[in-house]
Amino acid sequence: MLDGLDPEQREVALALTGPVCVLAGAGTGKTRAITHRIAYGVRSGRLQPASVLAVTFTNRAAGEMRGRLRQLGAGGVQARTFHSAALRQLQFFWPKAVGGELPRLLERKIQLVADAAARCRIRLDRNELRDVTGEIEWAKVTQTVPADYPAVVAKAHRDAPRDPAEISQIYAMYEQLKRDRSVIDFEDVLLLTVGILQDRHDIADQIRSQYQHFVVDEYQDVSPLQQRLLDLWLGDRDNLCVVGDASQTIYSFTGATPDHLLNFRTRHPGATVVKLVRDYRSTPQVVHLANGLLSQARGRAADHRLELVSQRDPGPDPGYTEYADEPTEAEGTARRIRDLIAAGVPAGEIAVLYRINAQSEVYEQALADAGVPYQLRGAERFFERQEVREAGVALRGAARAGGNDSLLDDAEDLPAQVRAVLSTKGWNPQPPAGSGAVRDRWESLAALVRLAEDFSRAKSGATLSDLVAELDERAAAQHAPTVQGVTLASLHSAKGLEWDAVFLVGLTEGMMPITYAKTDEQIEEERRLLYVGVTRARLHLSLSWALSRSPGGRASRRPSRFLKGLRPGSGSLGTVASGTSGGFERAAAAGRRKPRGPVLCRVCGTTLTEAGAMKLMRCEDCPSDMDEGLYERLRDWRAEQARELGQPAYCVFTDKTLMAIAERVPGSGGELSSISGVGARKLDRFGPDVLAICAGEDRGAGLDED
C-alpha cells in the first residue's frame, strides 16, 4: 500500500489516528494519498472498512474514490457525497426519530418556488425563478432563516437577484408550502439529519459507534451546514482527515468557504499537517506560471498558498497572445488546435476554457469552420439554448412580417431592428446586476445583438432575413454530432478535470475578473478561478485576449490585471506582449504585428484613430490611389470563393480588406500579411490567389470576362 508513494503521500498514509490536515495543491496526487491511507489502514488491520466514511462533493468524485478503494482491497469503505450519506441515515432513522415515512424528496424545487412566488403575488420569469431558487439554496446551506435573509445578504455584500425583502417573503412561503405538501428538498436532507442528531443522542451515538474514522475531500468547499453535520458525526472524537487547497475555493456563491480548512489547526491544535506540493500533472513551465499567479494574491487564502514543484520533464513555455478582436482570437485558437491535433494531440485532450458560457458561440463557430470536432461541458450549445431558440423564432417572425411589423418602425438599421425584437424577450442595453440565470440569459441575447452588429458591418445593406439565414447557417454548422472532440467549458465546470492542452481565452478586464466582482474578496476569487484554469493543463498552455469585441472596433480593452508581471514585457498593464516561442506558434507573422506608436495617414500624416482608417492606412476622406479594376477583380474572385465555401463573402475578406489590398497591391506574402484582416490562416488559404490577381493573372471563373 505504501509502494510508489512520495515521502509526503507516505506521511499521509501513515497518519491513521488523530486529526490530520492535508494541504494538497493541484495535481499533487491527493486522491492517491487518501485512498492509499484508507486502504493501508484496512489492510494492516488498524481500520475496519465499515467504520470509515469518506465524503466528497460530487457523485463522480465519490465513484472514483470507491473504484480506487476496491482496487486497493478496501471495498467495504463507504465513499459518498454529503447529501448521499445524510439521506441514507435519514431514511434509516426517520421512523424511529419522527415516525411514519420520510416525506417525499423534491427532485427539482423550482416549481414549488414558482408556486410560492405566485402566493406572494410576485411575478418571476423562468430565469428569475432559477436565480431565486439558487438564493434559497444559498440561504439554507449558510443556515440563514427567511427573516434574517435581507440582513445577511447585506452583510455578505451579496448581489441578490431580486429585492431581498421579496426573496425573504418567497423563501418563507416556500418553506410553508413544503410543510403543507409533506415534501423536503436536498438542503432539508442535511438540515433534518442535523436536527435528529442534535435532538436524539441515542441515534447520534448509534451513528458514531458505526463510523469511527472520517475523511473529507475538497474540504475548502465545505458549507457551514455541512460542517455542522460533520461536527455531529464526529462528536467529541478527532479521527478526522481533511484534504483541501484554499487556493481552489471558487464556489463561494453556493455557500462554500475555505474558513473551515484555514481554521482547522486552530480547532485541532495537535493536528498532523502534511503539505502535498509535488505536482505530477503539469510541466515546470505551467507550474511556474501557476505559482506566479498566486504570488500576487491577497487575503487569508493567499497567506496559506502552496508553492508547487513540478515532477515532470520540461515542456513548452505558455503562450501569451494578443488579438485584434474576438473573432480573430477564436480563429487563431481554432487554428492552433487544428495544428496540435495534426501533431498527434488527441482532440479529447484539448480544452478551451472561458469565464462565462455566452463566450462559447464564437469558439463553436471557429472550430466548426476549421472542421474540428468539439463538445460542450456543463452547458448547451449556443444555438440550442432556450433563450437563443426563442430569440430565433422572434427574429424569423419579424423577418417574415417585414415592413408590417410595428416593432421595426423606428429601427434605422439591422442592429437596431434586432435590438427592438429582442427587447420583447427581455433584453435591454444594461446588463442585470450580479451573476445567475438572468445574467446568463442576458449574455446570450447580447451575443446575438453583437452578431447582428458584426454582420451588418461586414455586409452593407443586410436585412433581417439575411441575418436569420446567417444564424440558421451557423446553427447548422455547429450541430454536427461529435463523440470525441475538443472540450469547450467554463472555468467553473473545468474544476477537477485536466487536459494535455488548455486554451484560456478572453482574458480581459471585465471578463477576468468579471465586471460584477467588486469587493477584494470577489476579485481574489476570480484570481483563484484563473489559477484553477492554469492548473488544468498538463503540457500545453495558451493564454489570450482581444483588444476589441468585433473586427474594426475600437481597441480599448486591456489584458487581465492577473497577467501583469507574468507575461513577457508586462511591467505595466498596457504593454503589448507577443506570443512566446515555446509550444504554440506566434499569433501572427512579424508583418502583422501592431505598430508601437501612433498610426499615421500615409496621405496627409494625420494620426488615425478609427479602425477602418487604420486598416486602409489613410483617412477615410483622403484621396485613394486604389486600383479600381483590381478591386473589382478581387470582389469577383471573393464572390466565387464564397459560393464554393458556402459562406458569406465577408468570411473570405471584408470590403475594407479588399480595398486595402487594391491600394497597396502587395507583391509578396510578407506584404500581404501586413494588411489588417489577412491572418495566417487566410494567407495560407487565399494568399496565392490574391497575389496572382495583384500580379495581373486571372484566377477563378469570375475573372474570365476580364
Side-chain angles (χ1 to χ4, degrees):
M1 289 298 102
L2 303 179
D3 290 346
L5 300 182
D6 66 31
E8 294 79 25
Q9 292 172 343
R10 186 185 180 94
E11 186 178 355
V12 173
L14 291 172
L16 293 175
T17 58
V20 179
C21 180
V22 182
L23 301 175
T28 57
K30 65 180 178 64
T31 305
R32 178 180 177 81
I34 58 177
T35 52
H36 278 70
R37 175 184 185 271
I38 295 170
Y40 175 71
V42 170
R43 297 286 291 275
S44 66
R46 297 174 63 183
L47 298 179
Q48 296 300 313
S51 72
V52 180
L53 177 59
V55 290
T56 187
F57 284 82
T58 67
N59 290 321
R60 183 183 63 81
E64 179 186 354
M65 190 178 294
R66 285 194 297 270
R68 291 201 190 190
L69 289 170
R70 281 195 299 269
Q71 292 175 356
L72 295 172
V77 172
Q78 291 291 316
R80 296 180 174 274
T81 65
F82 269 99
H83 283 88
S84 174
L87 180 60
R88 195 162 180 255
Q89 295 172 14
L90 194 61
Q91 289 170 331
F92 185 82
F93 290 108
W94 185 268
K96 179 179 180 180
V98 181
E101 293 185 0
L102 181 68
R104 179 174 61 86
L105 179 62
L106 276 174
E107 292 294 331
R108 297 178 71 250
K109 59 172 68 71
I110 195 164
Q111 183 56 56
L112 201 59
V113 175
D115 293 345
R119 292 282 186 96
C120 296
R121 301 182 184 278
I122 298 173
R123 184 175 180 180
L124 303 176
D125 64 26
R126 183 180 66 255
N127 293 287
E128 289 174 322
L129 270 174
R130 288 170 56 191
D131 288 343
V132 170
T133 299
E135 280 301 287
I136 291 174
E137 291 172 352
W138 175 83
K140 297 185 75 166
V141 300
T142 55
Q143 302 178 87
T144 302
V145 298
D148 294 342
Y149 172 80
V152 173
V153 165
K155 184 177 180 180
H157 303 289
R158 185 176 178 86
D159 283 323
R162 296 279 298 209
D163 184 303
E166 287 186 340
I167 294 178
S168 174
Q169 189 180 359
I170 295 170
Y171 179 14
M173 180 57 68
Y174 168 77
E175 292 296 315
Q176 181 61 51
L177 289 178
K178 282 200 292 101
R179 289 190 291 271
D180 293 344
R181 300 178 187 183
S182 297
V183 294
I184 60 174
D185 59 29
F186 278 98
E187 291 70 43
D188 290 331
V189 170
L190 302 184
L191 285 164
L192 291 170
T193 305
V194 165
I196 288 175
L197 294 181
Q198 286 179 159
D199 296 341
R200 292 292 299 268
H201 299 291
D202 56 329
I203 293 176
D205 290 342
Q206 189 173 343
I207 290 176
R208 292 167 190 158
S209 68
Q210 175 172 353
Y211 295 118
Q212 304 288 326
H213 301 271
F214 296 86
V215 177
V216 183
D217 193 13
E218 303 287 2
Y219 193 56
Q220 77 278 352
D221 290 332
V222 164
S223 70
L225 179 55
Q226 289 164 333
Q227 181 62 48
R228 181 61 185 141
L229 177 59
L230 181 61
D231 290 340
L232 288 165
W233 280 342
L234 275 168
D236 58 2
R237 300 165 302 168
D238 61 2
N239 281 329
L240 170 65
C241 174
V242 299
V243 187
D245 178 9
S247 296
Q248 296 189 66
T249 304
I250 59 173
Y251 298 114
S252 66
F253 58 91
T254 67
T257 171
D259 289 347
H260 305 299
L261 176 66
L262 298 177
N263 295 336
F264 190 84
R265 282 166 287 184
T266 301
R267 297 182 65 190
H268 304 277
T272 299
V273 179
V274 183
K275 295 183 179 181
L276 301 184
V277 296
R278 299 174 194 254
D279 189 322
Y280 297 96
R281 174 188 299 159
S282 304
T283 62
Q285 287 77 8
V286 173
V287 167
H288 178 72
L289 174 57
N291 287 336
L293 183 61
L294 286 189
S295 69
Q296 304 174 8
R298 300 290 181 267
R300 283 197 74 201
D303 293 341
H304 294 79
R305 70 183 181 88
L306 299 169
E307 189 82 14
L308 300 178
V309 181
S310 175
Q311 305 300 297
R312 293 192 55 171
D313 293 333
D317 289 329
Y320 299 84
T321 312
E322 182 175 276
Y323 292 95
D325 51 70
E326 287 182 8
T328 305
E329 181 181 12
E331 180 185 290
T333 301
R335 183 182 65 248
R336 291 164 181 233
I337 289 173
R338 190 178 55 193
D339 292 344
L340 280 178
I341 293 173
V345 180
E349 287 296 340
I350 303 174
V352 178
L353 306 181
Y354 35 76
R355 177 61 179 84
I356 60 174
N357 285 325
Q359 291 173 272
S360 75
E361 191 279 332
V362 68
Y363 292 94
E364 294 178 55
Q365 182 68 38
L367 291 173
D369 288 347
V372 176
Y374 67 89
Q375 55 188 340
L376 265 74
R377 178 179 179 83
E380 296 172 301
R381 292 181 176 182
F382 182 81
F383 287 101
E384 293 174 356
R385 295 170 193 166
Q386 185 164 352
E387 61 267 25
V388 176
R389 292 200 305 268
E390 292 174 351
V393 171
L395 291 170
R396 196 169 290 108
R400 284 197 299 268
N404 296 321
D405 193 330
S406 59
L407 270 175
L408 310 182
D409 288 347
D410 297 325
E412 298 178 355
D413 56 16
L414 175 60
Q417 292 175 350
V418 171
R419 287 191 287 268
V421 173
L422 296 188
S423 67
T424 66
K425 297 298 176 184
W427 182 84
N428 62 71
Q430 295 301 318
S435 58
V438 172
R439 179 73 182 224
D440 290 344
R441 175 186 174 83
W442 184 90
E443 294 284 2
S444 294
L445 296 179
L448 288 175
V449 172
R450 292 194 295 268
L451 278 173
E453 293 168 348
D454 295 344
F455 185 71
S456 178
R457 190 179 298 111
K459 186 176 181 180
S460 179
T463 66
L464 198 53
S465 295
D466 294 332
L467 176 65
V468 169
E470 169 71 5
L471 296 178
D472 288 343
E473 287 182 15
R474 285 173 175 252
Q478 296 177 30
H479 284 178
T482 59
V483 178
Q484 172 77 331
V486 173
T487 299
L488 297 179
S490 69
L491 286 164
H492 280 103
S493 65
K495 178 74 166 63
L497 304 175
E498 58 186 78
W499 296 271
D500 285 345
V502 169
F503 291 79
L504 300 173
V505 298
L507 301 182
T508 60
E509 286 291 304
M511 192 58 72
M512 179 54 68
I514 197 75
T515 185
Y516 48 77
K518 304 293 187 184
T519 67
D520 290 343
E521 292 82 0
Q522 291 167 340
I523 296 294
E524 287 307 313
E525 181 152 338
E526 292 287 300
R527 187 193 305 275
R528 295 194 296 268
L529 188 58
L530 181 57
Y531 172 79
V532 166
V534 167
T535 55
R536 299 310 94 194
R538 300 189 190 105
L539 179 61
H540 302 285
L541 178 63
S542 173
L543 303 94
S544 65
W545 58 94
L547 296 179
S548 69
R549 180 185 58 76
S550 57
R554 184 181 177 188
S556 59
R557 291 178 171 179
R558 295 184 302 163
S560 169
R561 72 189 72 175
F562 300 146
L563 301 182
K564 184 178 180 181
L566 300 179
R567 59 189 178 92
S570 62
S572 63
L573 275 176
T575 305
V576 175
S578 60
T580 62
S581 59
F584 292 89
E585 69 174 281
R586 292 180 182 269
R592 289 185 63 223
R593 287 176 186 157
K594 299 178 74 65
R596 294 289 194 249
V599 180
L600 304 180
C601 173
R602 55 191 171 82
V603 179
C604 69
T606 301
T607 299
L608 301 176
T609 58
E610 295 297 324
M614 293 171 70
K615 184 185 284 284
L616 295 172
M617 295 294 289
R618 64 171 174 81
C619 301
E620 295 277 4
D621 54 359
C622 275
S624 169
D625 54 359
M626 182 177 71
D627 184 331
E628 296 287 350
L630 174 57
Y631 178 67
E632 290 304 319
R633 291 195 297 275
L634 287 169
R635 281 175 59 88
D636 291 341
W637 165 83
R638 180 183 66 174
E640 182 65 24
Q641 292 293 318
R643 281 194 296 270
E644 291 179 3
L645 296 172
Q647 295 180 339
Y650 72 87
C651 290
V652 180
F653 286 119
T654 65
D655 288 345
K656 277 290 195 297
T657 300
L658 291 187
M659 291 176 65
I661 293 171
E663 289 187 354
R664 295 190 225 177
V665 194
S668 67
E671 292 177 2
L672 180 59
S673 68
S674 69
I675 296 174
S676 178
V678 184
R681 180 183 173 194
K682 291 186 177 181
L683 182 65
D684 292 341
R685 190 170 192 177
F686 304 125
D689 280 0
V690 172
L691 292 173
I693 295 169
C694 290
E697 301 175 19
D698 287 350
R699 284 293 174 107
L703 304 180
D704 291 345
E705 60 192 48
D706 295 330

